[in-house]
């Protein structure tokens, strides 16, 4: 069993905001992630580093098979962005996502030894203390709970990490009060619940993905996630359960 810690969460939740006239951000907006990374790094500012981390995390999540080089780059750039902007909301989400992907690739024992779950939770909590009304951070914590319970089971997750599905749902409820129609929060909410139990939470998943599909896309990343939400929704309501699970795992970067 792979350790799927922390916030795939929604990392993706952090990708549709932060309007900017910055050249690096404009490149990210267009889906030119490699160019956005180079440009952001060259700017040598907290904002530029944040865009570079965003672009690296975007490229990482767009992979449909494990890519440790992608994960390492996203983690490294997220840490650089946080060094320039301690407790920054967006870099924290990118770091949590990178650590989650890393845990999936290296496996349960190595991830536990490296304390990836604890690192993710601590970073999210620190950022939430500084940004208590940030819907993306709140949703990221909700996703963290979903992931840990999904991997370890309800009893182990609760004893080891204090994670429960109910707490995850509570965090998402808070996020939805702040941003009910956020495309990526809705998309990730559906992903987390579907990965945990698509049958039990079918109606919630369906409603969330419908909201994601209906939301206007602001950039190339949004467009890609809307497409994914539509594909997953069709499979969710289809008869081929294995095809749905395979597509879900692919979009979450889960090793086969």
């Amino acid at each position: 069993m792979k350790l799927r810690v922390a916030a795939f969460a929604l990392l993706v939740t952090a990708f549709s905001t932060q309007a900017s006239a910055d050249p690096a951000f404009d490149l990210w907006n267009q889906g030119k992630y490699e160019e956005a990374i180079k440009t952001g790094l060259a700017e040598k500012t907290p904002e530029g580093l944040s865009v570079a981390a965003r672009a690296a995390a975007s490229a990482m999540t767009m992979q449909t098979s494990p890519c440790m080089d992608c994960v390492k780059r996203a983690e490294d750039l997220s840490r650089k962005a946080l060094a320039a902007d301690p407790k920054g909301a967006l870099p924290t989400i990118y770091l949590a996502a990178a650590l989650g992907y890393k845990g999936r690739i290296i496996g349960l024992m190595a991830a536990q030894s490296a304390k990836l779950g604890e690192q993710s939770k601590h970073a999210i909590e620190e950022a939430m203390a500084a940004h208590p009304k940030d819907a993306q951070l709140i949703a990221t914590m909700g996703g963290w709970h979903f992931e840990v319970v999904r991997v370890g089971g309800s009893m182990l997750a609760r004893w080891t990490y204090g994670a429960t599905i109910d707490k995850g749902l509570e965090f998402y409820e808070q996020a939805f009060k702040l941003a009910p129609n956020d495309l990526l929060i809705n998309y990730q909410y559906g992903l987390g619940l579907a990965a945990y139990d698509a049958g039990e939470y079918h109606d919630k998943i369906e409603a969330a993905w419908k909201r994601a599909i209906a939301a206007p896309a602001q950039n190339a990343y949004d467009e890609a996630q809307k497409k994914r939400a539509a594909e997953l929704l069709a499979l969710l309501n289809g008869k081929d359960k294995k095809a749905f699970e395979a597509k879900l795992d692919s979009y979450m970067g889960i090793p086969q």
Side-chain angles (χ1 to χ4, degrees):
M1 179 173 55
K2 306 292 185 182
L3 180 62
R4 298 159 191 173
V5 294
F8 172 75
L10 270 244
L11 133 108
V12 290
T13 64
F15 290 148
S16 63
T17 59
Q18 186 187 322
S20 172
D22 180 76
F25 184 82
D26 290 341
L27 289 166
W28 174 83
N29 228 19
Q30 299 169 52
K32 298 178 180 179
Y33 302 135
E34 299 302 322
E35 294 176 50
I37 291 170
K38 293 178 182 178
T39 303
L41 287 173
E43 291 174 4
K44 298 180 180 180
T45 64
E47 294 79 13
L49 289 172
S50 181
V51 174
R54 175 197 296 257
S58 297
M60 178 187 72
T61 62
M62 290 305 297
Q63 299 292 320
T64 54
S65 59
C67 174
M68 182 56 86
D69 288 343
C70 303
V71 171
K72 186 177 185 304
R73 182 172 66 172
E75 179 182 354
D76 289 347
L77 291 178
S78 296
R79 291 190 186 280
K80 286 182 180 179
L82 279 173
D85 180 20
K87 300 182 183 180
L90 297 179
T92 295
I93 296 172
Y94 310 144
L95 176 61
L99 293 178
Y101 269 63
K102 186 176 184 178
R104 296 182 184 119
I105 293 174
I106 67 177
L108 174 62
M109 297 304 294
Q112 287 184 322
S113 178
K115 298 186 180 299
L116 298 186
E118 291 91 336
Q119 288 184 54
S120 296
K121 185 179 183 183
H122 177 73
I124 298 166
E125 288 176 338
E126 288 283 301
M128 285 179 63
H131 309 279
K133 297 298 183 180
D134 191 300
Q136 298 169 355
L137 277 172
I138 295 168
T140 298
M141 183 58 84
W144 181 89
H145 280 272
F146 288 171
E147 286 288 281
V148 173
V149 175
R150 176 165 63 113
V151 173
S154 59
M155 186 175 295
L156 181 62
R158 184 173 64 253
W159 287 353
T160 305
Y161 296 101
T164 70
I165 290 296
D166 284 345
K167 287 181 181 178
L169 290 169
E170 289 173 5
F171 279 114
Y172 267 110
E173 287 176 4
Q174 294 176 38
F176 284 133
K177 287 180 181 179
L178 294 168
N181 297 311
D182 185 284
L183 189 162
L184 297 173
I185 290 178
N186 276 287
Y187 172 63
Q188 184 60 38
Y189 177 70
L191 278 183
L193 285 180
Y196 176 68
D197 192 330
E200 180 177 354
Y201 294 100
H202 176 278
D203 291 350
K204 291 181 181 295
I205 297 164
E206 180 180 53
W209 283 341
K210 284 183 176 179
R211 289 192 296 270
I213 294 166
Q218 304 297 321
N219 48 64
Y221 193 83
D222 281 2
E223 289 286 2
Q225 305 319 303
K226 280 169 66 75
K227 180 179 178 181
R228 288 184 171 190
E231 291 174 347
L232 287 168
L233 181 59
L235 289 169
L236 174 71
N237 291 326
K239 297 181 179 180
D240 193 338
K241 182 178 179 181
K242 289 185 178 180
F244 171 69
E245 292 175 347
K247 183 67 72 174
L248 182 68
D249 286 353
S250 174
Y251 286 166
M252 293 186 69
I254 297 173
Q256 301 299 305

